[in-house]
Amino acid sequence: MNKPIIDKALNLKLANHDPDLARDVLHMLCTMLPNDIQTIETTLKQQDFIAAKNAVHKLQGAICYCGVPRLQDAISNLGKSLHQKEYAKIEEQMKILKDEAAHLTAVVLPFVRDIP
């Protein structure tokens, strides 16, 4: 993917140019990601696709305010597959989502320290 893990300018813009809020939003996202991803995985394993769609929708809502384009693409693709009932694509898309979440978490701590 050519998009950045964190779009710093977008992150700051979405936080109304408040660097403290920009930092807090990313930190909160990284804090909640493991639980939200676990919820999605659990609902998918149970083949409860309605609950999975709801969990994906909730996470999409949080991600859209953070300026994290790669993670946003990953969750969007998963949501589209669920909506279109393209269940064969879901396992690969979950792997991509988990990989992007791991990449984001790995860069967030250094990034939040760099916000003025």
Side-chain angles (χ1 to χ4, degrees):
M1 294 183 170
N2 293 336
K3 294 179 180 180
I5 294 171
I6 301 170
D7 182 332
K8 294 178 185 183
L10 180 59
N11 173 256
L12 198 55
K13 178 182 175 185
L14 291 169
N16 200 27
H17 302 283
D18 179 341
D20 291 331
L21 179 58
R23 179 177 31 251
D24 290 348
V25 166
L26 284 174
H27 186 260
M28 286 189 302
L29 176 63
C30 287
T31 301
M32 65 183 255
L33 271 174
N35 185 55
D36 286 352
I37 289 173
Q38 181 61 49
T39 298
I40 294 168
E41 284 187 309
T42 299
T43 58
L44 289 173
K45 285 179 186 173
Q46 296 169 345
Q47 295 186 347
D48 185 348
F49 298 115
I50 292 171
K53 281 188 223 180
N54 290 336
V56 166
H57 181 74
K58 176 186 172 230
L59 186 54
Q60 278 179 307
I63 289 171
C64 74
Y65 292 101
C66 297
V68 289
R70 287 172 42 173
L71 188 61
Q72 189 165 358
D73 286 350
I75 194 70
S76 177
N77 289 336
L78 179 59
K80 286 177 190 172
S81 291
L82 282 168
H83 182 71
Q84 296 170 354
K85 299 181 181 181
E86 296 175 333
Y87 302 128
K89 295 181 179 180
I90 289 174
E91 185 175 341
E92 178 63 23
Q93 289 171 340
M94 275 303 301
K95 180 184 178 320
I96 293 168
L97 176 65
K98 288 169 28 176
D99 287 347
E100 291 302 335
H103 291 140
L104 176 66
T105 301
V107 298
V108 160
L109 288 179
F111 171 68
V112 296
R113 289 185 200 118
D114 289 344
I115 296 175

